[in-house]
């Protein structure tokens, strides 16, 4: 069973961030939300591991609550 | 145009003792699909049944329409399978559309070698009329039409029912009572038993439309079609040129206004286009719910079908789930009533059918959540899934227009397969449970004789007195190696496997299945 990796793994963090920002450029709120949903679906399928995905969802949810 | 169904009117028998009391071993309350099925199954097992129904005909409107393979196999065991195949509309394929385009298609029975298809569509009233005929033919079902239960007292030795008929009232003491009186169960409510679950904030218009259109015999589901923007539509073909169309309306829709025939006609015309004439057979507006009783057994009163659990129609899990309840309970109750088993055998009914109901509710809830997004995020995710599904296979399993009825995943139903018997083509399933007994099948070995168990040999080569597995499919689907045996319960559910030579192990499986 795999576990979610939360170590830094992106070789070019700024480049990745810029790519995502570029993808959202010119989109209204609804289109951006749709893009993010498609992106999550594509990445989730690539990961394919139910436990990792469940941990990722829990972490995302928790991080949002900590912020609030 | 095909001949249309003419609802039969059944005679209402006078009470035996007007104003007096009567006793019965077993009473079925409710002569719908599930009540009639359990009555027939019990009668075929030699149990005398009194069946009470407040009406004097079959269900109006077309209610349940999709009879799943497992349900068809149950009706095969009850001697009605051929009628379903002959009259019903067979389908295995479904198509899902998004906007103007097809998102994907699926085949529910991609393999050959089964007597029954994935689904047969048939109006519930046909099934009920055949069940009434079959019940009457057994000579063991006392069909009491317009005998309405108006009160119940549940006691340790059975249920005392107050019954009203057009020709007077009487009291009926039922040693055993099967409550099959539907989602608004009077018996459940009278006993104050909670029915807890979820209501979906959406409304659906369900119309049975008589038309001759060139839709193939497939299940078609549209998300956001041009003819009904922003909502979903489901289309099923039924016999007699009747089509079932479900239009999603949204929570804000006014249910009374939506039933106005002119309004319904406009919706159907928008879908079919101007060239296809049609008429409306039946129209209703629904809000869907998923809920169940905490327990299905209350002393000697047992609840089945919609009276015990309710689902949304996406997935066809209502009628099929109810028929499978009847299938699960009838052999147990017959064994208890004939003294073959103790009352402990009835515990299996709840142990199996409560998780089965939960599985149906889970699937139905998830489908309804996908079809009826609860918030903007859910809507955005659904759109994302549908968009991706057009071109990318990975997203298609996420599209949920209904997860169609399957037998409960917690047990194994006997598989079907083609076999030869003395050179004649036969189906394996016709040899399992059709005589009402347990069935022991041994591959390439002589099964031991166990009392109350029908023994069969599955042979790899033709041999007299055996089932010849000429295609190898029977052994493969049974999962039997040479020398192995599988024991099936009278409801065709696998009780277990053991070496054919191990008589003690097989006898133990039999005893365990009977809760001895």
């Amino acid at each position: 069973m795999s576990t979610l990796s939360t170590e830094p793994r992106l070789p070019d963090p700024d480049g990745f961030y810029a790519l995502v920002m570029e993808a959202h450029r010119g989109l209204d709120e609804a289109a951006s939300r749709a893009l993010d949903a498609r992106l999550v679906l594509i990445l989730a399928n690539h990961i394919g591991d139910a436990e990792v995905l469940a941990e990722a969802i829990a972490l995302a949810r928790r991080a949002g609550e900590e912020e609030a | 145009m095909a001949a249309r169904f003419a609802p039969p009117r059944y005679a209402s028998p006078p009470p035996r003792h007007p104003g007096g009391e009567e006793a019965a071993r077993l009473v079925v309350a409710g002569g719908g699909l599930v009540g009639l099925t359990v009555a027939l199954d019990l009668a075929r097992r030699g149990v005398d049944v009194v069946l009470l129904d407040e009406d004097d005909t079959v269900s109006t409107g077309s209610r349940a329409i999709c009879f799943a393979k497992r349900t068809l196999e149950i009706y095969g065991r009850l001697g009605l399978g051929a009628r379903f195949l002959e009259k019903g509309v067979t389908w295995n394929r479904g198509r899902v559309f998004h906007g103007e385009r097809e998102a994907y298609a699926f085949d529910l029975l991609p393999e050959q070698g089964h007597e029954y298809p994935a689904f047969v569509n048939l109006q519930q009233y046909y099934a009920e009329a055949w069940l009434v005929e079959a019940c009457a033919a057994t000579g063991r079902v006392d069909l009491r039409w317009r005998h309405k239960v108006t009160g119940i007292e549940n006691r340790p030795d059975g249920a005392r029912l107050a019954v009203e008929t057009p020709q007077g009232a009487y009291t009926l003491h039922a040693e055993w009572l099967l409550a099959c009186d539907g989602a608004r169960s009077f018996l459940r409510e009278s006993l104050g038993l909670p029915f807890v679950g979820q209501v979906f904030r959406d409304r659906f218009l369900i119309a049975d439309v008589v038309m001759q259109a060139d839709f193939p015999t497939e299940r078609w589901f549209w998300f956001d079609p041009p003819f009904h923007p922003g909502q979903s539509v489901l289309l099923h073909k039924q016999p007699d040129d009747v089509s079932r169309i479900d239009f999603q309306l949204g929570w804000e829709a006014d249910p009374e206004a939506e039933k106005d025939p002119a309004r319904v006609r406009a919706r159907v015309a928008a879908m079919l286009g101007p060239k296809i004439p049609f008429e409306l057979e039946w129209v209703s507006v629904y809000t869907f719910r998923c809920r169940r009783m905490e327990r299905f057994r209350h002393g000697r009163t047992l609840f089945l079908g919609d009276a015990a659990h309710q689902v949304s129609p996406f997935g066809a899990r209502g009628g099929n789930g109810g028929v499978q309840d009847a299938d699960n309970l009838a052999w147990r109750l017959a064994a208890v009533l004939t003294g073959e088993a103790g009352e402990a055998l009835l515990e299996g009914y709840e142990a199996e059918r409560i998780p089965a109901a939960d599985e149906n509710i889970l699937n139905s809830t998830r489908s309804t959540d996908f079809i009826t997004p609860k918030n903007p995020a859910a809507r955005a995710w659904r759109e994302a899934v549908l968009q991706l599904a057009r071109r990318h296979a990975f997203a298609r399993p996420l599209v949920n227009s209904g997860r169609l009825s399957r037998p409960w995943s917690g047990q194994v139903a006997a598989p079907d397969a083609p076999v030869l018997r003395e050179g004649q083509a036969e189906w394996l399933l016709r040899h399992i449970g059709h005589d009402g007994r347990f069935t022991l099948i041994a591959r390439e070995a002589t099964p031991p004789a166990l009392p109350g168990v029908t023994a069969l040999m599955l042979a790899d080569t033709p041999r007299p007195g055996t089932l010849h597995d000429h295609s190898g499919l029977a052994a493969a689907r049974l999962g039997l190696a040479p020398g192995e045996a599988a024991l099936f319960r009278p409801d065709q559910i696998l009780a277990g496997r053991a070496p054919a030579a191990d008589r003690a192990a097989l006898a133990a499986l039999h005893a365990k299945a009977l809760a001895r």
Side-chain angles (χ1 to χ4, degrees):
Chain A
M1 289 295 153
S2 337
T3 50
L4 179 72
S5 168
T6 53
E7 297 301 308
R9 278 161 53 89
L10 296 170
D12 175 10
D14 293 349
F16 164 73
Y17 198 84
L19 261 182
V20 176
M21 291 306 103
E22 180 59 22
H24 279 280
R25 196 158 58 91
L27 301 184
D28 64 16
E29 207 173 321
S32 270
R33 176 172 229 160
L35 174 79
D36 281 339
R38 288 195 299 273
L39 182 59
V40 173
L41 284 164
I42 291 162
L43 295 175
N45 184 66
H46 182 82
I47 293 163
D49 183 307
E51 274 186 36
V52 170
L53 292 171
E55 278 183 57
I57 291 166
L59 174 57
R61 172 102 199 186
R62 207 164 55 236
E65 282 159 5
E66 282 158 7
E67 197 67 19
Chain B
M1 193 133 309
R4 303 278 291 278
F5 181 79
R9 292 277 164 199
Y10 303 117
S12 175
R16 293 212 179 136
H17 308 288
E21 295 213 9
E22 197 189 327
R25 194 91 201 273
L26 189 140
V27 172
V28 173
L33 187 70
V34 176
L36 289 164
T37 301
V38 78
L40 177 60
D41 205 345
L42 283 161
R44 288 168 58 100
R45 297 180 188 281
V47 177
D48 289 322
V49 178
V50 172
L51 185 141
L52 308 174
D53 192 85
E54 62 183 326
D55 204 356
D56 65 350
T57 186
V58 292
S59 66
T60 50
S62 159
R63 303 180 181 275
I65 56 168
C66 299
F67 290 83
K69 180 172 184 285
R70 178 71 198 130
T71 300
L72 296 169
E73 289 166 353
I74 292 166
Y75 285 124
R77 182 173 61 71
L78 296 174
L80 293 169
R83 298 191 82 166
F84 279 82
L85 288 183
E86 192 184 315
K87 180 72 190 178
V89 172
T90 286
W91 65 276
N92 291 306
R93 282 179 70 79
R95 285 183 197 282
V96 178
F97 301 90
H98 180 214
E100 299 192 24
R101 290 192 275 182
E102 183 172 322
Y104 84 115
F106 55 87
D107 190 338
L108 294 166
L109 189 60
E111 62 178 28
Q112 298 293 305
H114 298 264
E115 182 174 10
Y116 295 101
F119 279 93
V120 158
N121 285 356
L122 180 78
Q123 292 88 328
Q124 183 173 330
Y125 44 69
Y126 277 111
E128 289 184 9
W130 300 339
L131 285 162
V132 170
E133 277 175 39
C135 280
T138 64
R140 288 192 178 275
V141 185
D142 183 351
L143 293 155
R144 299 187 182 179
W145 305 103
R146 299 189 70 189
H147 282 224
K148 182 181 180 178
V149 179
T150 57
I152 176 173
E153 186 195 335
N154 209 15
R155 302 169 12 156
D157 62 343
R160 276 175 73 81
L161 301 173
V163 184
E164 278 176 16
T165 83
Q167 299 163 84
Y170 64 102
T171 301
L172 181 61
H173 183 89
E175 267 183 56
W176 293 91
L177 174 65
L178 305 186
C180 307
D181 54 344
R184 283 185 287 246
S185 171
F186 168 81
L187 294 171
R188 187 191 63 227
E189 287 174 7
S190 298
L191 294 172
L193 300 168
F195 199 38
V196 180
Q198 173 182 4
V199 181
F200 295 95
R201 289 171 61 84
D202 204 341
R203 296 185 202 281
F204 290 82
L205 169 71
I206 300 192
D208 279 339
V209 177
V210 185
M211 64 181 191
Q212 282 172 309
D214 286 333
F215 291 108
T217 54
E218 297 175 336
R219 176 189 196 262
W220 282 18
F221 193 102
W222 289 264
F223 289 102
D224 192 19
F227 57 84
H228 193 55
Q231 305 284 8
S232 68
V233 176
L234 172 62
L235 172 72
H236 270 292
K237 194 166 182 163
Q238 304 170 65
D240 304 344
D241 295 323
V242 177
S243 288
R244 161 71 55 87
I245 311 175
D246 292 20
F247 293 97
Q248 184 181 24
L249 299 175
W251 182 240
E252 305 307 324
D254 174 348
E256 285 312 309
E258 290 295 344
K259 272 188 268 190
D260 174 11
R263 193 150 174 169
V264 179
R265 291 187 66 83
R267 293 202 186 281
V268 176
M271 175 177 177
L272 299 179
K275 288 183 186 152
I276 298 174
F278 65 87
E279 50 181 294
L280 302 177
E281 185 182 74
W282 181 71
V283 170
S284 198
V285 173
Y286 282 98
T287 295
F288 296 146
R289 295 162 188 276
C290 283
R291 50 185 177 170
R292 75 158 165 87
M293 296 175 76
E294 198 179 330
R295 303 291 306 264
F296 295 174
R297 182 180 173 198
H298 294 269
R300 290 187 157 193
T301 298
L302 294 112
F303 289 82
L304 292 81
D306 281 0
H309 44 73
Q310 196 182 358
V311 292
S312 86
F314 301 109
R317 290 169 179 267
N320 287 303
V323 171
Q324 289 164 33
D325 289 346
D327 178 51
N328 189 289
L329 184 57
W331 72 274
R332 296 177 188 277
L333 208 44
V336 171
L337 291 176
T338 57
E340 194 191 347
E343 282 194 28
L345 183 59
L346 297 178
E347 287 165 16
Y349 173 64
E350 283 193 318
E352 294 174 10
R353 296 315 295 171
I354 287 178
D358 285 344
E359 192 167 283
N360 285 329
I361 286 171
L362 178 70
N363 278 285
S364 169
T365 300
R366 288 174 169 176
S367 300
T368 312
D369 281 341
F370 192 88
I371 291 162
T372 299
K374 282 194 176 68
N375 53 48
R379 186 165 284 278
W381 269 72
R382 190 183 82 173
E383 287 305 302
V385 165
L386 289 166
Q387 268 179 352
L388 288 167
R390 281 186 204 150
R391 285 169 191 273
H392 304 284
F394 85 82
R396 287 171 202 156
L398 291 161
V399 177
N400 193 342
S401 74
R403 300 293 181 218
L404 286 145
S405 174
R406 309 254 315 134
W408 176 46
S409 62
Q411 58 194 187
V412 177
D416 205 358
V419 289
L420 298 175
R421 189 177 178 81
E422 319 302 339
Q424 299 292 308
E426 284 259 11
W427 293 105
L428 174 66
L429 260 189
R430 292 188 178 197
H431 295 275
I432 301 176
H434 277 224
D435 59 0
R437 291 153 52 101
F438 279 75
T439 307
L440 179 62
I441 302 181
R443 180 178 172 199
E444 286 294 303
T446 307
L450 299 172
V453 177
T454 296
L456 276 178
M457 180 173 157
L458 187 70
D460 293 355
T461 52
R463 249 172 291 167
T466 68
L467 295 180
H468 175 206
D469 185 17
H470 60 294
S471 64
L473 284 172
R477 290 177 186 167
L478 286 163
L480 285 183
E484 270 190 328
L487 180 70
F488 292 96
R489 304 190 319 206
D491 58 354
Q492 300 177 327
I493 298 299
L494 180 69
R497 293 187 185 87
D502 194 343
R503 189 180 192 284
L506 290 164
L509 286 174
H510 184 222
K512 186 170 173 235
L514 281 169
R516 278 182 185 155

